Amino acid sequence: MEHRFDFLVIGSGIAGLTFALKVAQKATVAIVTKKDKLETSTNYAQGGIASALGPDDSFHLHIEDTLKSGDGLSKPEVVELVVRSAPECIQELASIGVPFSRGRTPHCPFDLGREGGHSRNRIVHADDMTGQAIERVLVEAVESHSNVAIFENHLALDLIIDHRAVRMGSVTVQQNQCCWGALVLDATSGKIHTFLAHATLLCTGGAGKVYLYTSNPDVATGDGLAMAYRAGAALANLEFVQFHPTCLYHPHAKNFLISEAVRGEGGRLIDKRGRAFMEKYHPLKDLAFRDVVARAIDTEMKRTGDDCVYLDITHRNADFLKQRFPNIYKKCLSLGIDITKDPIPVVPAAHYMCGGIVTDPWGQTSIENLYAIGECACTGLHGANRLASNSLLEAAVFSHRAAVHGSESLPRWQKRPFPQVPEVTIETSSGNGAQSEMILISHNWDVIRRLMWNYVGIVRTDKRLHLASLHIAQVRMEIKEHLPHIPLHSDLVELQNLALVAELIVRCALARKESRGLHYNVDHPHKDDVHWRKDTVLTRWKEPTLPAMKLSRNDHDDA
């Protein structure tokens, strides 16, 4: 089945929903989301949105904190653009009904929290469920808009790319690489649909599920990164994976974060014996940057042999904690942990991809008519380490800018006819033999995640990275060999994407011969600004000769 829209949005977090609402004023929009529309990283974001709104704060201080966190790789012009846009984004979200917590002073209408790396209180939040509050308001607005169609349980397989090549003497060079939409699997019916669009927006979130322990929802399998790479777009800085220092450590607490705001309100990290340890690692102690805190916890756990450390905020007033952190209080209490009386067991977990698909200040990728926003994008804001609560802000700012650019460009794009895309049918083996091959998916999924956690985690070595590269190459070869014998469904697609993204992370980590931000390599423990104060950029194309448009389910990455 073929669908035609002005814009195709792949993902339903804050980036995709905000973009859709803005362009839908004059255009038709399809939102494709592989699970329920609320199953996004945005919905799980607890902290808030950073904005210099307090009387003792300024754009200059927010910019300075962001640049310090980025450890030399954040682009100053992008940081300034985003920081100065923050107050307007906050006001816009508040105006459409996001219930931000109100301030207690006449100087600011919002309650401002503090998180690691911030020199001032500047986190605008909705209690400790900010992402959920934003997501629900945006979903409600999108569902009521007549120009927007939402396709739930639809998984994008690959982008539809028109590779037009020209001959220059004896060499074939690329010209006018353009995106026309995507091939999408309807997970309910098992059929593949063609979604044609004048412009496509990737806002597919991160790839936290590439690691064994993560704060991310199950949908975070790096689909946008994999699709963009296969299409030929440039990706950068995938070695910078942010591990959130404080994920709840409990056998029945899947993916549950203890917000950095708890430390912002005075929470202290202690070991099993009740001893605080962060003063050994950074002058800011418990409010140091996330990479510092995560490495400190990792070091303490390895030194003591303990399974976790503890976050203690029992010295604060009980009523205050229940009011400030109602979600965290209820969740912990359901597991037998009273945060007003008991320290909270925590461990680091993979949380955020600071690298991604390279974009310009308008959200445009290196492929014409293809935008990328949110965690799957590399805008130049985060550099080597994301400052807490800058992610929702980045998504809001760039979705607005991409919407402005896309709306202005649409009349010109509409003059071009859609390409003729052949109907795609998938033939796979069936019967008991095919079903028996399904064990390959669950086995290799587990292999990749354990491999990445053990070899490409918070602290790395050259030897571990090389071993990871060899093992992942073997896994990808096995997947490719058995692909024709497995019925096509979302688990298989996610496994392919996960394996490719794992390989790309390792390639970036191997390339960077230094330690900077979130990338810490024992064999290269020092920062090297002379040789490595630059992005690690990957593209699929190694040679100037490019193939014609290719539309298939095959994993056609040959890098």
Side-chain angles (χ1 to χ4, degrees):
M1 182 180 295
E2 183 178 279
H3 307 269
R4 296 189 175 196
F5 292 87
D6 292 317
F7 292 98
L8 171 63
V9 175
I10 303 176
S12 59
I14 180 176
L17 297 177
T18 301
F19 177 89
L21 282 174
K22 290 177 180 290
V23 298
Q25 304 306 316
K26 298 181 180 179
T28 57
V29 186
I31 297 177
V32 167
T33 182
K34 67 178 182 178
K35 298 291 185 181
D36 182 274
K37 53 185 172 290
L38 290 175
E39 186 65 11
T40 69
S41 291
T42 297
N43 200 45
Y44 288 81
Q46 294 180 1
I49 304 179
S51 182
L53 295 173
D56 63 340
D57 205 357
S58 67
F59 291 144
H60 171 74
L61 289 173
H62 190 179
I63 290 169
E64 188 176 69
D65 291 344
T66 301
L67 291 174
K68 283 181 181 178
S69 181
D71 207 4
L73 290 189
S74 296
K75 293 178 171 56
E77 66 278 10
V78 175
V79 173
E80 182 167 2
L81 166 68
V82 173
V83 166
R84 290 186 178 277
S85 301
E88 185 177 350
C89 288
I90 298 291
Q91 292 296 342
E92 183 177 18
L93 288 170
S95 70
I96 64 172
V98 176
F100 291 121
S101 299
R102 310 310 291 183
R104 301 181 181 92
T105 70
H107 303 293
C108 178
F110 306 109
D111 179 59
L112 301 178
R114 174 86 67 95
E115 294 184 352
H118 289 275
S119 59
R120 298 290 187 274
N121 284 41
R122 64 167 69 99
I123 312 303
V124 179
H125 60 93
D127 292 330
D128 59 347
M129 298 176 287
T130 308
Q132 185 181 104
I134 294 173
E135 182 81 4
R136 291 192 180 280
V137 169
L138 290 175
V139 165
E140 184 177 336
V142 164
E143 287 181 327
S144 63
H145 205 296
S146 59
N147 276 353
V148 181
I150 303 176
F151 297 83
E152 295 180 286
N153 299 306
H154 279 63
L155 172 62
L157 301 176
D158 261 321
L159 298 170
I160 298 172
I161 303 294
D162 187 0
H163 298 298
R164 300 176 188 176
V166 296
R167 296 283 295 182
M168 295 184 66
S170 60
V171 179
T172 302
V173 297
Q174 179 65 31
Q175 185 182 60
N176 194 29
Q177 191 179 9
C178 182
C179 181
W180 286 98
L183 299 176
V184 177
L185 173 67
D186 180 343
T188 303
S189 69
K191 295 181 179 179
I192 294 178
H193 295 234
T194 300
F195 281 77
L196 293 175
H198 295 293
T200 300
L201 177 75
L202 287 173
C203 47
T204 52
K209 296 298 287 188
V210 79
Y211 285 93
L212 183 61
Y213 302 110
T214 177
S215 65
N216 289 185
D218 289 341
V219 295
T221 53
D223 304 325
L225 300 175
M227 286 189 291
Y229 181 80
R230 288 195 293 262
L235 276 64
N237 297 344
L238 298 182
E239 68 270 37
F240 298 118
V241 180
Q242 187 174 77
F243 289 79
H244 196 289
T246 53
C247 194
L248 180 60
Y249 179 73
H250 192 281
H252 300 133
K254 181 183 178 182
N255 304 344
F256 190 79
L257 274 186
I258 303 300
S259 171
E260 195 159 338
V262 175
R263 283 182 285 129
E265 297 290 355
R268 296 185 312 149
L269 287 162
I270 59 175
D271 63 18
K272 190 175 184 180
R273 296 142 199 87
R275 295 178 296 206
F277 56 82
M278 277 309 301
E279 62 183 9
K280 296 188 297 184
Y281 297 95
H282 198 277
L284 291 175
K285 301 180 183 178
D286 299 282
L287 286 178
F289 296 111
R290 283 182 176 177
D291 60 320
V292 174
V293 180
R295 279 198 301 274
I297 294 174
D298 182 70
T299 301
E300 289 292 315
M301 289 169 59
K302 288 176 178 174
R303 183 182 65 81
T304 62
D306 294 336
D307 293 328
C308 66
V309 297
Y310 296 84
L311 182 57
D312 184 13
I313 196 167
T314 56
H315 56 281
R316 295 299 305 266
N317 177 271
D319 290 336
F320 167 78
L321 293 178
K322 294 175 185 178
Q323 181 180 0
R324 177 66 177 87
F325 304 110
N327 187 43
I328 294 174
Y329 174 76
K330 291 175 183 177
K331 179 66 174 181
C332 288
L333 196 62
S334 72
L335 299 171
I337 303 166
D338 184 345
I339 69 171
T340 69
K341 301 175 183 178
D342 308 316
I344 309 166
V346 294
V347 292
H351 183 57
Y352 192 89
M353 292 291 297
C354 289
I357 307 160
V358 177
T359 70
D360 70 5
W362 297 98
Q364 295 182 108
T365 71
S366 56
I367 295 177
E368 186 180 350
N369 293 33
L370 178 65
Y371 298 87
I373 306 175
E375 191 174 350
C376 72
C378 182
T379 65
L381 174 66
H382 304 309
N385 183 23
R386 176 178 69 95
L387 183 65
S389 289
N390 267 356
S391 51
L392 291 178
L393 170 60
E394 179 192 41
V397 171
F398 279 92
S399 59
H400 171 75
R401 294 182 65 82
V404 170
H405 185 275
S407 297
E408 291 177 350
S409 304
L410 183 60
R412 172 169 53 86
W413 295 337
Q414 288 174 327
K415 294 178 182 179
R416 298 184 301 181
F418 284 120
Q420 294 296 316
V421 180
E423 183 177 348
V424 178
T425 57
I426 299 299
E427 295 184 5
T428 59
S429 299
S430 57
N432 294 332
Q435 291 299 324
S436 68
E437 295 291 344
M438 295 297 291
I439 189 64
L440 176 136
I441 296 177
S442 58
H443 171 73
N444 280 313
W445 183 287
D446 187 61
V447 167
I448 292 169
R449 298 183 69 205
R450 290 184 181 276
L451 187 67
M452 292 295 290
W453 182 260
N454 291 328
Y455 290 178
V456 199
I458 297 172
V459 177
R460 302 162 179 178
T461 67
D462 285 346
K463 181 178 180 180
R464 290 181 202 163
L465 292 174
H466 281 293
L467 286 172
S469 180
L470 291 173
H471 287 308
I472 291 169
Q474 179 63 38
V475 170
R476 294 197 68 211
M477 187 181 302
E478 183 176 329
I479 294 171
K480 196 168 187 177
E481 180 180 342
H482 289 272
L483 183 66
H485 309 292
I486 304 175
L488 179 67
H489 58 81
S490 57
D491 288 350
L492 174 60
V493 175
E494 289 180 334
L495 175 63
Q496 288 179 278
N497 291 338
L498 206 70
L500 174 56
V501 171
E503 179 185 289
L504 297 179
I505 292 172
V506 174
R507 282 172 56 184
C508 285
L510 278 168
R512 185 168 291 277
K513 303 299 183 182
E514 66 161 356
S515 290
R516 180 189 298 270
L518 299 163
H519 174 69
Y520 186 82
N521 188 325
V522 174
D523 295 316
H524 310 279
H526 304 295
K527 186 163 58 176
D528 181 358
D529 281 340
V530 174
H531 300 100
W532 290 104
R533 192 171 182 176
K534 60 183 180 180
D535 295 332
T536 310
V537 181
L538 292 177
T539 57
R540 180 186 167 203
W541 313 120
K542 293 182 179 179
E543 304 293 339
T545 302
L546 301 180
M549 183 164 80
K550 194 170 185 178
L551 301 173
S552 76
R553 68 170 274 201
N554 293 330
D555 182 3
H556 43 72
D557 163 45
D558 55 5

